Short mmCIF file of all heavy atoms in Angstrom, two decimals:
data_model
loop_
_atom_site.label_atom_id
_atom_site.label_comp_id
_atom_site.label_asym_id
_atom_site.label_seq_id
_atom_site.Cartn_x
_atom_site.Cartn_y
_atom_site.Cartn_z
N PRO W 301 -134.13 -71.23 -107.71
CA PRO W 301 -134.96 -70.05 -107.38
C PRO W 301 -135.55 -70.08 -105.96
O PRO W 301 -136.00 -69.04 -105.42
CB PRO W 301 -136.07 -70.06 -108.39
CG PRO W 301 -136.20 -71.56 -108.77
CD PRO W 301 -134.83 -72.11 -108.67
N PHE W 302 -135.63 -71.26 -105.35
CA PHE W 302 -136.17 -71.38 -104.00
C PHE W 302 -135.19 -72.07 -103.02
O PHE W 302 -134.74 -73.20 -103.39
CB PHE W 302 -137.50 -72.13 -104.01
CG PHE W 302 -138.66 -71.42 -104.53
CD1 PHE W 302 -138.86 -71.40 -105.94
CD2 PHE W 302 -139.55 -70.75 -103.68
CE1 PHE W 302 -139.93 -70.67 -106.48
CE2 PHE W 302 -140.62 -70.05 -104.23
CZ PHE W 302 -140.85 -70.01 -105.61
N GLY W 316 -141.80 -71.81 -99.72
CA GLY W 316 -141.57 -70.47 -99.31
C GLY W 316 -141.60 -69.43 -100.43
O GLY W 316 -142.17 -69.71 -101.47
N ARG W 317 -140.99 -68.30 -100.18
CA ARG W 317 -140.92 -67.22 -101.18
C ARG W 317 -139.70 -67.48 -102.07
O ARG W 317 -138.71 -68.04 -101.61
CB ARG W 317 -140.89 -65.86 -100.59
CG ARG W 317 -142.09 -65.50 -99.69
CD ARG W 317 -141.96 -64.10 -99.16
NE ARG W 317 -143.07 -63.76 -98.25
CZ ARG W 317 -143.07 -64.03 -96.97
NH1 ARG W 317 -142.03 -64.58 -96.43
NH2 ARG W 317 -144.08 -63.68 -96.21
N PRO W 318 -139.65 -67.03 -103.31
CA PRO W 318 -138.51 -67.15 -104.15
C PRO W 318 -137.40 -66.27 -103.59
O PRO W 318 -137.59 -65.30 -102.87
CB PRO W 318 -139.02 -66.64 -105.50
CG PRO W 318 -140.16 -65.76 -105.17
CD PRO W 318 -140.82 -66.36 -103.97
N TYR W 322 -135.64 -63.53 -108.06
CA TYR W 322 -136.65 -64.18 -108.85
C TYR W 322 -138.07 -63.67 -108.54
O TYR W 322 -138.38 -63.28 -107.44
CB TYR W 322 -136.61 -65.68 -108.68
CG TYR W 322 -135.28 -66.30 -109.12
CD1 TYR W 322 -134.30 -66.47 -108.22
CD2 TYR W 322 -135.07 -66.60 -110.46
CE1 TYR W 322 -133.07 -67.04 -108.57
CE2 TYR W 322 -133.85 -67.18 -110.86
CZ TYR W 322 -132.85 -67.38 -109.91
OH TYR W 322 -131.63 -67.89 -110.30
N GLU W 323 -138.96 -63.78 -109.56
CA GLU W 323 -140.37 -63.54 -109.41
C GLU W 323 -141.13 -64.70 -109.83
O GLU W 323 -140.65 -65.53 -110.69
CB GLU W 323 -140.79 -62.34 -110.30
CG GLU W 323 -140.06 -61.02 -110.03
CD GLU W 323 -140.46 -60.01 -111.10
OE1 GLU W 323 -141.53 -59.44 -111.01
OE2 GLU W 323 -139.67 -59.84 -112.05
N ILE W 324 -142.34 -64.91 -109.25
CA ILE W 324 -143.18 -66.00 -109.67
C ILE W 324 -144.57 -65.53 -109.90
O ILE W 324 -145.01 -64.50 -109.30
CB ILE W 324 -143.20 -67.16 -108.62
CG1 ILE W 324 -143.73 -66.65 -107.23
CG2 ILE W 324 -141.80 -67.84 -108.52
CD1 ILE W 324 -143.98 -67.78 -106.26
N ARG W 325 -145.33 -66.28 -110.75
CA ARG W 325 -146.73 -66.04 -110.91
C ARG W 325 -147.32 -67.32 -111.42
O ARG W 325 -146.65 -68.25 -111.87
CB ARG W 325 -147.01 -64.86 -111.89
CG ARG W 325 -146.61 -65.02 -113.31
CD ARG W 325 -146.93 -63.79 -114.13
NE ARG W 325 -146.48 -63.87 -115.52
CZ ARG W 325 -147.29 -64.34 -116.53
NH1 ARG W 325 -148.44 -64.84 -116.26
NH2 ARG W 325 -146.81 -64.43 -117.72
N LEU W 326 -148.71 -67.38 -111.45
CA LEU W 326 -149.35 -68.52 -111.97
C LEU W 326 -150.13 -68.21 -113.29
O LEU W 326 -150.67 -67.11 -113.38
CB LEU W 326 -150.39 -69.10 -110.92
CG LEU W 326 -149.87 -69.53 -109.58
CD1 LEU W 326 -150.99 -69.99 -108.69
CD2 LEU W 326 -148.81 -70.66 -109.78
N VAL W 331 -146.81 -72.79 -112.63
CA VAL W 331 -145.85 -71.88 -112.02
C VAL W 331 -144.92 -71.34 -113.13
O VAL W 331 -144.28 -72.06 -113.87
CB VAL W 331 -145.06 -72.58 -110.95
CG1 VAL W 331 -143.99 -71.63 -110.34
CG2 VAL W 331 -145.91 -73.19 -109.91
N LEU W 332 -144.87 -69.97 -113.21
CA LEU W 332 -143.98 -69.31 -114.09
C LEU W 332 -142.89 -68.57 -113.27
O LEU W 332 -143.23 -68.01 -112.24
CB LEU W 332 -144.71 -68.30 -115.01
CG LEU W 332 -145.38 -68.82 -116.28
CD1 LEU W 332 -146.41 -69.93 -115.99
CD2 LEU W 332 -146.02 -67.72 -117.05
N ILE W 333 -141.66 -68.57 -113.75
CA ILE W 333 -140.60 -67.92 -113.00
C ILE W 333 -139.84 -67.01 -113.91
O ILE W 333 -139.56 -67.26 -115.12
CB ILE W 333 -139.60 -69.03 -112.44
CG1 ILE W 333 -140.34 -69.92 -111.45
CG2 ILE W 333 -138.39 -68.38 -111.78
CD1 ILE W 333 -139.51 -70.96 -110.86
N ARG W 334 -139.46 -65.86 -113.37
CA ARG W 334 -138.62 -64.91 -114.13
C ARG W 334 -137.45 -64.48 -113.26
O ARG W 334 -137.60 -64.24 -112.03
CB ARG W 334 -139.43 -63.64 -114.49
CG ARG W 334 -138.69 -62.63 -115.25
CD ARG W 334 -139.63 -61.59 -115.92
NE ARG W 334 -140.28 -60.79 -114.87
CZ ARG W 334 -141.20 -59.83 -115.22
NH1 ARG W 334 -141.51 -59.65 -116.43
NH2 ARG W 334 -141.77 -59.13 -114.22
N TRP W 357 -140.63 -64.86 -118.96
CA TRP W 357 -141.18 -65.81 -117.95
C TRP W 357 -141.01 -67.28 -118.46
O TRP W 357 -141.46 -67.59 -119.58
CB TRP W 357 -142.70 -65.53 -117.74
CG TRP W 357 -142.94 -64.29 -116.98
CD1 TRP W 357 -143.17 -63.03 -117.52
CD2 TRP W 357 -143.02 -64.13 -115.62
NE1 TRP W 357 -143.44 -62.15 -116.51
CE2 TRP W 357 -143.32 -62.76 -115.28
CE3 TRP W 357 -142.82 -65.00 -114.46
CZ2 TRP W 357 -143.42 -62.30 -113.99
CZ3 TRP W 357 -142.93 -64.51 -113.21
CH2 TRP W 357 -143.26 -63.21 -112.97
N GLU W 365 -149.81 -73.39 -106.06
CA GLU W 365 -150.69 -72.35 -105.55
C GLU W 365 -149.85 -71.37 -104.70
O GLU W 365 -148.86 -71.75 -104.07
CB GLU W 365 -151.80 -72.92 -104.67
CG GLU W 365 -151.33 -73.71 -103.45
CD GLU W 365 -152.47 -74.40 -102.69
OE1 GLU W 365 -153.58 -74.46 -103.28
OE2 GLU W 365 -152.23 -74.80 -101.56
N ILE W 366 -150.13 -70.10 -104.77
CA ILE W 366 -149.41 -69.08 -104.05
C ILE W 366 -150.26 -68.52 -102.96
O ILE W 366 -151.37 -68.03 -103.19
CB ILE W 366 -148.91 -67.95 -105.03
CG1 ILE W 366 -148.10 -68.55 -106.13
CG2 ILE W 366 -148.21 -66.85 -104.27
CD1 ILE W 366 -147.67 -67.46 -107.20
N GLY W 370 -147.27 -64.82 -100.30
CA GLY W 370 -146.31 -65.02 -101.39
C GLY W 370 -145.58 -66.33 -101.40
O GLY W 370 -144.78 -66.61 -102.22
N GLU W 371 -145.93 -67.27 -100.49
CA GLU W 371 -145.24 -68.53 -100.41
C GLU W 371 -145.90 -69.53 -101.44
O GLU W 371 -147.15 -69.57 -101.60
CB GLU W 371 -145.31 -69.17 -99.06
CG GLU W 371 -144.49 -68.34 -98.00
CD GLU W 371 -144.29 -69.12 -96.73
OE1 GLU W 371 -145.05 -70.07 -96.42
OE2 GLU W 371 -143.35 -68.78 -96.00
N LEU W 372 -145.01 -70.31 -102.09
CA LEU W 372 -145.45 -71.27 -103.13
C LEU W 372 -145.56 -72.71 -102.57
O LEU W 372 -144.68 -73.12 -101.82
CB LEU W 372 -144.49 -71.23 -104.27
CG LEU W 372 -144.69 -72.30 -105.33
CD1 LEU W 372 -145.94 -71.98 -106.12
CD2 LEU W 372 -143.46 -72.36 -106.30
N ARG W 373 -146.64 -73.33 -102.94
CA ARG W 373 -146.80 -74.78 -102.67
C ARG W 373 -146.96 -75.44 -103.95
O ARG W 373 -147.85 -75.07 -104.79
CB ARG W 373 -148.00 -75.03 -101.77
CG ARG W 373 -148.12 -76.50 -101.33
CD ARG W 373 -149.55 -76.87 -100.80
NE ARG W 373 -149.92 -75.95 -99.75
CZ ARG W 373 -149.65 -76.18 -98.45
NH1 ARG W 373 -149.01 -77.29 -98.11
NH2 ARG W 373 -150.07 -75.38 -97.55
#
Side-chain angles (χ1 to χ4, degrees):
F302 285 85
R317 299 182 184 89
Y322 298 95
E323 301 173 79
I324 59 170
R325 66 181 177 89
L326 299 180
V331 179
L332 276 60
I333 298 180
R334 180 168 66 182
W357 289 94
E365 59 185 17
I366 300 175
E371 293 192 339
L372 174 68
R373 185 199 304 272

